Amino acid sequence: MSPEPAVAESRPRVWVSQPLFDDVIGRLDEYFDVQSTAQVSEYAAGEIAAHLRQAHGAVVTLNERIGTAEIAGAAHLRAIANVGVGYNNLDIPALSAAGIIATNTPDVLTETTADFGFALLMATARRITEAERWLRAGQWQQWSFSSMLGSDLHGSTLGILGMGRIGQGIARRGAGFGMRVLYHNRSRLPAAVEGQCQASYVDLDSLLRQSDHLLLVLPYSPEVHHLIDASALSKMKPSATLVNIARGGIVDEVALAAALAQGRLAGAGLDVYEGEPQVRPELLALDNVVLTPHIASASLATRRAMVTLAVDNLIAALGEGPQAGRPATPINADVITGKTIATKR
């Protein structure tokens, strides 16, 4: 009697929520059955839940909000790999309670994001986008000594709120431009790091009052929601600029728009918004604000590195590959130490 054919062992299923880099995502095929997304998509909560219901793991972006409702029926789900350093789109306590590992992609975007933060600062201070719109509208009829007067970076005071890796990268750039660099952080940096960044620690009020240019790089949490509100803005110099590459919810955008419109703040550069991708009409109506669509990490090399790290994290978190069981950048590492991580099949 000939032996019965072996039944193929089913492989874990993985959902990729947005089109990323096909060659990088293709590495998942070695270990998993992969459901990819062909076009940029916006999902309702129920649609995310439906995708996760049969998934063992997922690669998601900041667009996908995942919490209790989305994972309620996801009995097989063991890992979420977030493509981004921030993860306020994920309900980490809910994921941890369900034994689901969450990972993010820090470090690989540090220098690119610092580059962009400084570029946005320069564009804001020197009114670059405002000047371009003015020129394109045909308003440049004659050179004028007083046209589009901005503010200098060299010799000015740069304030950095949030002094992690990106904040430190911006500090180094500011020092290179001959700026006096101040910072405020939840905890003061070691003296050696301050020396490398040529930065001095001050309290938040001092940072607001002394900065000619204030750059926000702090992580979002409920504790810092609208930290930069009408009261905070009133402490800043009318000649100052504010740049936000952190998260939109840190700034009260209604108060910011009012300060800009009333001349109580010279300018603002924003790459993030509280209701993104929607931008408040009050901000869109202003000339003295530079608006970009959340692109601080958007260089080709960096975005590829982010997706590569997310893929590596997911493979490891689902117990496969050379780092099986040891994803490089877990957010809730206690899930791993609690031995709820999926083991290799």
Side-chain angles (χ1 to χ4, degrees), residues 11-16 25-26 28-30 32-36:
R11 302 201 304 169
R13 297 180 182 179
V14 164
W15 175 50
V16 182
I25 293 299
L28 294 170
D29 292 332
E30 180 180 350
F32 314 118
D33 289 330
V34 181
Q35 179 190 5
S36 298

Side-chain angles (χ1 to χ4, degrees), residues 74-145:
H76 307 291
L77 189 63
R78 291 293 176 265
I80 297 287
N82 204 48
V83 184
V85 62
Y87 49 85
N88 56 304
N89 56 312
L90 305 181
D91 185 337
I92 299 301
L95 295 179
S96 296
I100 298 168
I101 301 156
T103 67
N104 64 338
T105 59
D107 304 333
V108 295
L109 49 68
T110 296
E111 296 301 327
T112 295
T113 303
D115 279 351
F116 184 86
F118 211 80
L120 189 54
L121 168 60
M122 295 181 73
T124 303
R126 295 300 302 272
R127 303 172 64 181
I128 289 175
T129 59
E130 180 185 357
E132 183 186 16
R133 290 193 300 271
W134 185 74
L135 181 151
R136 288 180 181 274
Q139 297 185 54
W140 189 31
Q141 302 298 323
Q142 179 179 335
W143 185 87
S144 168
F145 197 76

Side-chain angles (χ1 to χ4, degrees), residues 8 55 71 130-131 168 214 225 229 281:
I71 64 173
E130 180 185 357
Q168 291 170 37
L214 178 63
H225 182 73
D229 58 8

Side-chain angles (χ1 to χ4, degrees), residues 169-257:
I170 290 166
R172 293 193 298 271
R173 287 158 176 78
F177 269 68
M179 303 177 81
R180 172 190 178 220
V181 182
L182 305 177
Y183 78 94
H184 181 74
N185 203 40
R186 283 179 298 182
S187 56
R188 185 168 182 172
L189 298 177
V193 179
E194 287 187 346
Q196 293 167 3
C197 296
Q198 300 181 48
S200 301
Y201 178 85
V202 294
D203 60 44
L204 180 57
D205 267 11
S206 297
L207 189 77
L208 294 169
R209 296 183 190 282
Q210 295 184 43
S211 296
D212 296 306
H213 309 285
L214 178 63
L215 217 150
L216 309 182
V217 208
L218 67 166
Y220 179 82
S221 68
E223 291 72 30
V224 299
H225 182 73
H226 287 189
L227 177 65
I228 305 301
D229 58 8
S231 175
L233 291 165
S234 71
K235 297 172 184 176
M236 296 181 66
K237 302 175 182 179
S239 58
T241 62
L242 173 71
V243 172
N244 187 10
I245 60 169
R247 285 292 181 268
I250 296 168
V251 176
D252 181 339
E253 294 173 348
V254 173
L256 174 62

